[in-house]
Amino acid sequence: MGDFTQSAVACQNGGFILNTKTTNTGDGRLVTIFGGGGYIGPIVAKRLLSFGYHVRIVDLFLYGTQNIMLGLFDEPGFEVLNGDLADSSVVNAGLDGATDVVILAGLVGDPITKKYPEAHDAVNETGIRSLIDQLNGQSLQRVIFVSTCSNYGLIPEGTLADEDYELNPLSLYAKAKVGIEQKLLSLKGQVDYEATALRFATAFGLAPRMRFDLTVSQFTREMYLRRDLLVYDADTWRPYCHVQDFADVIQRVLEAPAPDISFDVFNAGGDNNNFTKRMIIEAIQKHIPDAPVAYQAHGSDPRNYRVDFKKIRDRLGFTPCFSVEDGIKELIRALDQNLFEDAETRANFYGNYEINYEKP
Ligand SMILES: NC(=O)c1ccc[n+]([C@@H]2O[C@H](COP(=O)([O-])OP(=O)(O)OC[C@H]3O[C@@H](n4cnc5c(N)ncnc54)[C@H](O)[C@@H]3O)[C@@H](O)[C@H]2O)c1
């Protein structure tokens, strides 16, 4: 039995049983996941399907990831709709018969939003806002907007940001997330669904669409390949979370009693996965001690935040199953089997680098 399985089994007390259908909690609900065709979405879809939900993914596959839908295609209750959420007819079709909505879609990350500000505006601002404007009166139960812990930006050393901590978004990407959170949460009492904003930590973990532009996976792969790795601002903190744990969080929000999640915001992650970049490097070095790593101060990304995950633990009983170390070991096992041989030739599949977006 590999470490991955052991880790999942060790987590059963937390309610996480990997790929094992235990109960039919979905009970025929149809969850439409906007932006479900990227890194995190297919993992969420697979988990919900395995618990008896129906799932519809709406995505325009900005990074050419449409073929990963084939892995879900023949699952009972799964549908895919290839289209742009900025097109209201796509949204209408996406909402047809849906009981719940999860919004993962967007231009994700600081670099891609900086590189394509017009597309960022059309999708992350106007597009998501008009999507939200169409959600009322559709008999939806839950609407989950996936935001980011990047909203905290830069906080003083030794401080932990809980959900009430002052937001300090430093990028276009995070500023849009803060604005959408505020819009959604301000709709309390005016709409017929329960809305929740989840501030996700930075993701790691294996998925059909890996993103090697995210720290844990990027560092692990670079070091595995013994490439010279230059690490900027090694002592800056950031929280991390495995994609399987994010799927667990989404399911918990879908199934929690309404008063526990209604028009509320949660940091999504776990206290023990607050890591500095240096700590990540040291965790990788346990497995790959001979990888060349150098450190440099004053990089271009000033973000530095440690996050408090008490609320999601107390209210929803969520603690992550997977540590950063679990994610590193899992990725090394996949790299050992050459599963990412095409990472260079299909760089844009494996990272958010280039898009060709036209407004509908
Ligand atoms: N990955 C992380 O580390 C991380 C951390 C915090 C928050 N999040 C949030 O989680 C969500 C998912 O992240 P991810 O890593 O899976 O990103 P991703 O870039 O892999 O996936 C986003 C998906 O949205 C789709 N999309 C973009 N614009 C669209 C549009 N106009 N219509 C329909 N689909 C559209 C893209 O094609 C893509 O498949 C995002 O909202 C992101 O902000 C991610």
Side-chain angles (χ1 to χ4, degrees), residues 133-201:
D133 288 341
Q134 290 178 73
L135 297 179
N136 191 32
Q138 305 274 356
S139 306
L140 293 169
Q141 298 177 33
R142 304 277 154 102
V143 170
I144 300 174
F145 173 65
V146 176
S147 185
T148 170
C149 286
S150 278
N151 293 353
Y152 298 114
L154 180 61
I155 69 171
E157 243 348 279
T159 313
L160 283 177
D162 67 13
E163 288 79 354
D164 297 325
Y165 199 87
E166 189 186 353
L167 299 178
N168 182 16
L170 301 173
S171 60
L172 280 179
Y173 168 66
K175 284 179 181 151
K177 290 286 192 191
V178 169
I180 301 289
E181 275 187 17
Q182 286 167 349
K183 174 185 168 77
L184 189 64
L185 299 177
S186 74
L187 296 174
K188 185 173 183 178
Q190 300 168 42
V191 292
D192 59 357
Y193 53 80
E194 318 291 345
T196 310
L198 295 173
R199 292 184 189 142
F200 274 18

Side-chain angles (χ1 to χ4, degrees), residues 3-271:
D3 293 325
F4 184 72
T5 316
Q6 280 169 6
S7 166
V9 169
C11 281
Q12 281 185 13
N13 287 342
F16 185 94
I17 301 162
L18 190 72
N19 291 338
T20 307
K21 182 174 173 179
T22 49
T23 49
N24 193 358
T25 53
D27 197 24
R29 281 161 81 177
L30 168 58
V31 182
T32 295
I33 308 179
F34 289 93
Y39 177 34
I40 297 172
I43 303 292
V44 176
K46 192 169 177 193
R47 181 174 178 109
L48 295 180
L49 288 163
S50 78
F51 280 87
Y53 289 82
H54 292 205
V55 174
R56 178 184 295 140
I57 283 179
V58 181
D59 201 303
L60 47 43
F61 306 108
L62 279 180
Y63 308 99
T65 56
Q66 48 271 47
N67 67 350
I68 63 176
M69 294 293 97
L70 295 172
L72 295 167
F73 215 70
D74 63 353
E75 296 254 4
F78 178 72
E79 291 169 47
V80 60
L81 176 58
N82 188 339
D84 187 340
L85 66 77
D87 177 342
S88 60
S89 65
V90 170
V91 173
N92 278 337
L95 294 178
D96 185 27
T99 56
D100 304 270
V101 163
V102 177
I103 306 174
L104 290 171
L107 266 64
V108 178
D110 297 357
I112 193 84
T113 44
K114 210 167 157 187
K115 190 168 171 185
Y116 299 97
E118 284 174 15
H120 159 75
D121 195 56
V123 177
N124 293 358
E125 293 279 7
T126 321
I128 303 280
R129 282 171 193 275
S130 67
L131 165 63
I132 291 172
D133 288 341
Q134 290 178 73
L135 297 179
N136 191 32
Q138 305 274 356
S139 306
L140 293 169
Q141 298 177 33
R142 304 277 154 102
V143 170
I144 300 174
F145 173 65
V146 176
S147 185
T148 170
C149 286
S150 278
N151 293 353
Y152 298 114
L154 180 61
I155 69 171
E157 243 348 279
T159 313
L160 283 177
D162 67 13
E163 288 79 354
D164 297 325
Y165 199 87
E166 189 186 353
L167 299 178
N168 182 16
L170 301 173
S171 60
L172 280 179
Y173 168 66
K175 284 179 181 151
K177 290 286 192 191
V178 169
I180 301 289
E181 275 187 17
Q182 286 167 349
K183 174 185 168 77
L184 189 64
L185 299 177
S186 74
L187 296 174
K188 185 173 183 178
Q190 300 168 42
V191 292
D192 59 357
Y193 53 80
E194 318 291 345
T196 310
L198 295 173
R199 292 184 189 142
F200 274 18
T202 299
F204 63 90
L206 289 181
R209 182 212 185 197
M210 284 299 291
R211 283 187 52 196
F212 288 116
D213 56 344
L214 296 173
T215 311
V216 173
S217 303
Q218 183 202 342
F219 286 2
T220 305
R221 180 169 172 272
E222 298 281 310
M223 290 172 70
Y224 184 88
L225 297 172
R226 300 336 188 246
R227 295 208 175 132
D228 288 326
L229 179 63
L230 182 58
V231 177
Y232 289 97
D233 301 321
D235 297 311
T236 49
W237 290 89
R238 205 76 70 74
Y240 297 88
C241 188
H242 196 288
V243 285
Q244 299 279 358
D245 282 316
F246 283 142
D248 183 10
V249 168
I250 300 253
Q251 186 185 0
R252 281 172 194 264
V253 175
L254 289 170
E255 295 176 9
D260 288 350
I261 53 84
S262 186
F263 293 89
D264 214 339
V265 54
F266 294 88
N267 294 330
D271 294 341

